[in-house]
Amino acid sequence: MTDTPRSDPAKDAAAQAAVKLVKPGMKLGLGTGSTANVFVHRLAERMQEDPFELRCAATSKATAELAQSLGLRVESLDELGWLDLTIDGADEVDPDLNLIKGGGGAHLREKIVARASDRMVVIADPGKVVEQLGRFHLPVEVIPFGWRSTEAQIRRGLDDLGLTERPITLRKREDRVFMTDEGNLILDLALEAIPNAYELAAIFADIPGVVEHGLFLNICHLAIIGREDGTSAELVTEENL
Ligand code: 5RP
């Protein structure tokens, strides 16, 4: 089941505003998740009404399948090389446009695609806007080999930052261990609040079994927040004005 534009007015409002940012000739990154799915539907509708040259790279197998099924041209990131724009959802957006992503377990490819783009734009509903990151669990992708020792190193790092006794859960879906598109595992960290996101990211970078974490720091350029009434608002930081 994919999310269609009718599923959620706020997501749809954000998606429709983001579709306007897509210009002929662009190379475009497509995100993952329910909001990104609505965007893919709206983009495909626009392309049907008014076809133009557009090459897309997807951040997950699921998005690639959806986009292709709706007639969009999807190629690998390596075929496209560098992207003009990536549009993706997020689990949390803070006032500096730092994000938590990975609720759908795709944050590794999402970060690779976002970092290979001139601009990353997030589309979200108002429930994703937070003052401080951390209420949503922080996903950390780890390789299966030795994952318990990786978990122990993460725990030690959290202790060092004063984030003691925070639950860490191996992600499962329908009682089976969740595997990412890259064949890795996800540990979900219930941190409650992350006062020191850059320090935490540095700790993850020093743990060999961690492939990538869901903190997107200084990557997003603009967030479009849709509202239930069909309007949307833009969040930008001063340096991106
Ligand atoms: C997937 C993601 C998604 O963008 C994030 O989970 C938001 O999803 P949704 O739009 O369904 O709320 O990071 O890895």
Side-chain angles (χ1 to χ4, degrees):
M1 276 286 284
T2 63
D3 289 82
T4 67
R6 281 164 292 281
S7 307
D8 183 312
K11 290 177 185 178
D12 190 31
Q16 290 204 54
V19 165
K20 295 189 184 129
L21 303 178
V22 180
K23 306 288 179 217
M26 270 189 168
K27 294 184 204 169
L28 180 69
L30 303 174
T32 295
S34 58
T35 320
N37 283 351
V38 175
F39 170 77
V40 171
H41 278 276
R42 284 296 183 196
L43 179 64
E45 275 175 21
R46 181 181 159 200
M47 295 289 292
Q48 270 165 11
E49 284 161 17
D50 175 23
F52 56 83
E53 160 90 11
L54 182 70
R55 301 172 71 189
C56 303
T59 52
S60 62
K61 291 177 187 168
T63 297
E65 279 167 21
L66 174 65
Q68 274 163 338
S69 75
L70 295 172
L72 296 175
R73 179 173 167 188
V74 179
E75 297 171 66
S76 72
L77 180 58
D78 286 332
E79 282 169 309
L80 298 189
W82 194 261
L83 307 176
D84 299 290
L85 173 67
T86 285
I87 311 272
D88 201 348
D91 299 302
E92 287 189 344
V93 185
D94 83 0
D96 295 322
L97 299 187
N98 291 324
L99 316 172
I100 286 184
K101 285 187 52 55
H107 60 275
L108 170 59
R109 291 192 184 187
E110 289 171 337
K111 201 178 280 188
I112 292 171
V113 168
R115 290 289 291 266
S117 308
D118 284 341
R119 294 184 82 216
M120 181 205 192
V121 172
V122 155
I123 48 175
D125 55 84
K128 306 294 182 57
V129 180
V130 297
E131 273 307 306
Q132 185 178 57
L133 298 178
R135 202 178 50 202
F136 192 86
H137 56 252
L138 177 64
V140 180
E141 181 161 345
V142 301
I143 64 164
F145 178 83
W147 72 268
R148 285 186 190 282
S149 72
T150 301
E151 180 188 15
Q153 290 168 70
I154 291 172
R155 161 96 41 224
R156 220 174 297 144
L158 294 179
D159 286 348
D160 290 348
L161 285 184
L163 297 167
T164 50
E165 291 176 22
R166 300 299 197 273
I168 300 179
T169 312
L170 179 66
R171 188 178 297 184
K172 295 193 177 158
R173 194 175 272 174
E174 289 160 9
D175 282 342
R176 300 180 63 167
V177 172
F178 177 85
M179 300 277 268
T180 68
D181 279 352
E182 299 297 329
N184 295 316
L185 308 175
I186 301 259
L187 296 175
D188 286 308
L189 281 48
L191 301 178
E192 296 162 22
I194 307 175
N196 31 19
Y198 284 91
E199 284 174 68
L200 185 54
I203 284 172
F204 292 139
D206 201 33
I207 301 176
V210 169
V211 184
E212 192 52 78
H213 55 81
L215 288 169
F216 281 49
L217 306 177
N218 207 15
I219 293 178
C220 173
H221 296 87
L222 168 73
I224 301 176
I225 310 301
R227 302 192 189 98
E228 291 288 317
D229 66 3
T231 62
S232 61
E234 294 190 350
L235 289 184
V236 281
T237 56
E238 259 176 47
E239 68 194 70
N240 289 319
L241 275 176

